[in-house]
Amino acid sequence: MAGRTRWSARALLAALLASALLALFVSPARGRGGRDHGDWDEASRLPPLPPREDAARVARFVTHVCDWGALATISTLEAVRGRPFSDVLSLSDGPPGAGSGVPYFYLSPLQLSVSNLQENPYATLTMTLAQTNFCKKHGFDPQSPLCAHIMLSGTVTKVNETEVDIAKHSLFIRHPEMKTWPSSHNWFFAKLNITNIWVLDYFGGPKIVTPEEYYNVTVE
Ligand SMILES: *[C@@H]1O[C@H](CO)[C@@H](O)[C@H](O)[C@H]1NC(C)=O
Ligand SMILES: *[C@@H]1O[C@H](CO)[C@@H](O)[C@H](O)[C@H]1NC(C)=O
Ligand SMILES: *[C@@H]1O[C@H](CO)[C@@H](O)[C@H](O)[C@H]1NC(C)=O
């Protein structure tokens, strides 16, 4: 009981502190009125975080500012067959300032994750603002919901011919090194076909966002 009370008090204090911090860095941007990149949060060098109550927008923000994510798949490795397994994958949802929300990947059959996906295409992608300097700059622990993080679940699918150009442009502009990755690895473009979204961006538990709400967000 005492433990619970202390937690709530701490949560309240953290919330107050967060609001104060948010006010500090949000108001100068508001003061200037615009939404262009000139309003990037000075401390973290990111565009301003969308209002935390707009979970769909926060999810799109996190996806867009992250250059990579941890993708969990079900392992096909003999030693851990059937168990969860996650690896770091570079990704992009579009050129800076023009995110589509679709996480695109450049994959090779030589990757452990890809072997797993060939047997079971279900996967969950986790991305967090801890990958940017936002959380450190604002003093948010990576596990704190104030350090906004999201889980996107779905299936990883190869993109079709018509979508290859978009995937390639999205990835190569943010990961120029990919252009020189050895062709012997048979790289191909893929995306996460999102079916479920969880957003942790404030106290009170994860928020559920539907793919419809997520893709409905318009980016200015
Ligand atoms: C390719 O994929 C896109 C996006 O999923 C879809 O809109 C389009 O209809 C597909 N094209 C073909 C030829 O299957
Ligand atoms: C994406 O997932 C939905 C829901 O499971 C499915 O209906 C659809 O066919 C999938 N699209 C692709 C390109 O795999
Ligand atoms: C899509 O966005 C419009 C405009 O912001 C909003 O009115 C509508 O409710 C949204 N629909 C969904 C499914 O989120």
Side-chain angles (χ1 to χ4, degrees):
M1 227 24 212
R4 267 189 96 85
T5 314
R6 201 163 63 226
W7 258 109
S8 324
R10 283 176 62 173
L12 186 67
L13 191 65
L16 285 172
L17 197 63
S19 312
L21 279 169
L22 284 173
L24 262 179
F25 76 82
V26 165
S27 35
R30 286 228 179 105
R32 289 201 302 274
R35 272 212 178 105
D36 58 277
H37 288 171
D39 288 337
W40 281 33
D41 169 24
E42 293 297 324
S44 66
R45 304 204 161 279
L46 282 182
L49 185 74
R52 289 175 186 263
E53 61 275 13
D54 191 347
R57 198 170 286 278
V58 170
R60 285 289 295 274
F61 180 88
V62 175
T63 299
H64 185 59
V65 300
C66 288
D67 289 326
W68 56 273
L71 188 80
T73 53
I74 299 298
S75 185
T76 52
L77 282 175
E78 219 30 67
V80 287
R81 176 170 282 279
R83 299 192 202 163
F85 194 89
S86 73
D87 194 5
V88 165
L89 295 182
S90 292
L91 56 85
S92 169
D93 83 332
S100 63
V102 180
Y104 289 111
F105 307 103
Y106 197 36
L107 304 176
S108 157
L110 298 178
Q111 287 172 284
L112 287 172
S113 304
V114 176
S115 306
N116 296 345
L117 291 166
Q118 278 161 355
E119 215 167 277
N120 182 342
Y122 287 103
T124 297
L125 176 66
T126 303
M127 288 173 285
T128 162
L129 291 185
Q131 293 164 230
T132 70
N133 58 9
F134 176 88
C135 302
K136 216 164 238 166
K137 287 285 161 87
H138 293 292
F140 303 150
D141 188 87
Q143 195 176 306
S144 165
L146 296 177
C147 181
H149 45 290
I150 61 173
M151 291 85 153
L152 308 176
S153 201
T155 51
V156 176
T157 55
K158 224 172 186 159
V159 304
N160 67 24
E161 281 307 312
T162 45
E163 210 176 349
V164 160
D165 287 343
I166 299 168
K168 186 173 179 175
H169 181 63
S170 300
L171 285 159
F172 285 16
I173 203 162
R174 289 175 64 174
H175 302 275
E177 186 194 301
M178 283 180 173
K179 292 180 210 158
T180 64
W181 286 359
S183 59
S184 60
H185 289 209
N186 298 313
W187 301 100
F188 63 92
F189 296 98
K191 66 174 175 182
L192 181 68
N193 180 14
I194 302 168
T195 55
N196 300 81
I197 300 167
W198 293 268
V199 177
L200 282 132
D201 69 348
Y202 204 68
F203 305 104
K207 296 170 186 164
I208 302 225
V209 168
T210 66
E212 291 71 31
E213 291 162 344
Y214 176 84
Y215 286 116
N216 189 41
V217 170
T218 48
V219 282
E220 307 83 8

